[in-house]
Amino acid sequence: MILAFASVSMASMAQEDPTLKYSVATNSFWQNWFVQVNASWNAFYSNEEKGADFAKGPFKDFRSAPGFSVAVGKWFTPGLGLRTKFAAMNGRSVISENKDANDIKFWNLQEQALFNLSNMLCGYSDTRVWNFIPYAGVGITRNCSYNTYELASSLGLLNTWKLSKRVLLNLDLGFTMCGDDFEGRLGNKRYVDLGGKGGDPSPSNHDRWFTAELGLTFNLGRVGWDKTPDVDAIKALSQSQIDALNAQLNDANAENARLNGRLREALANQKPAETPKAVREFVTTPVSVFFNLDKTNIASQKDLVNIEGVAKYAKENNTNLLVTGYADSATGKPDHNQWLSDERAKTVAEELVKMGVSRDKIETVGKGGVDELSPISFNRRATVQVK
């Protein structure tokens, strides 16, 4: 039931790039701790009632009782966590339909494993509002009224809604089952004396209860997960750096040939009495600036060092610059890739303006999604060249 509900629920969440699943750095021991405080409502189903034909409705007052719980836990990955949960409440032994006769006091201590399916199926996102978290646990419960102890196991669904970075609203729906001696029953006598209607007074099934809890989660210490650098970009910069340099070298050679041609033409056309004009060669354009997947901010500020020389040349020679933006054609729709390429070109143009180049000397062009370089991620760039 949990997996079926999860498969439907995840479809309503924002679509995220599957390559970002678990693309986070390992957190420290003191990171991503939390405390929860809840008010609860509980419905009890006792093994002593078997065959007694009691009403089964969970809202019957001889079954239901209020309570509270507190928990402390930690997320070890975006999808896996542990919490220690303590619940204390009025309870119901459900050995009759008399609420007062059923009243007991008890507490329940559980160690529970949490599975954040939102992060496990859709990838971690620090902006997600709703998280869907099944859990399972084991522990011990004590009936304080009859001084009995039993091992207990639990299953449930924890839903959290982000109110702020530090505070979440949580709705917890749980089921707990424990040994059949939890009620403190003393053979047939207690069953008969407290109003049993007959049937089998000593069945082998377990005592159990359902819980609905509403409360708040408070995140402690450092919250969230740092995304690791774009793996594709790292591979591109390391494994395919030669391809990128070759592409830039080819562009530079073409520019060098063009400038040499202009120089030869100027020398051929000059008058004998004239002093040849100095023609400055600038052969390092175009220069590339790289971006991460679906981002319009520059991946590494070190790339800006590469375009400082172009900016200096443009200022000194009053020349125009062309900034061309690209996106990779393998991801995203064409309209979105066109927007990405336009924005990347504008981002680099603004950096050139900060370096002193007049904005009216800069032309920006977006080429949309392309497949010019390998691997794919290296196509996420913008180039700067002298017009």
Side-chain angles (χ1 to χ4, degrees), residues 133-208:
I133 310 169
Y135 63 84
V138 294
I140 189 170
T141 185
R142 182 192 180 207
N143 184 327
C144 300
S145 298
Y146 299 143
N147 195 29
T148 57
Y149 293 84
E150 285 292 341
L151 293 176
S153 58
S154 61
L155 292 172
L157 300 174
L158 172 63
N159 296 270
T160 66
W161 289 269
K162 184 177 181 180
L163 303 179
S164 69
K165 181 179 179 180
R166 295 288 179 184
V167 182
L168 293 80
L169 176 68
N170 44 268
L171 174 63
D172 193 334
L173 304 176
F175 170 76
T176 306
M177 182 172 66
C178 66
D180 57 8
D181 290 334
F182 170 69
E183 311 292 355
R185 178 174 57 83
L186 302 176
N188 295 352
K189 184 177 185 301
R190 184 180 299 282
Y191 181 81
V192 174
D193 289 351
L194 295 181
K197 294 184 180 180
D200 182 2
S202 56
S204 60
N205 59 305
H206 295 74
D207 297 318
R208 57 215 182 274

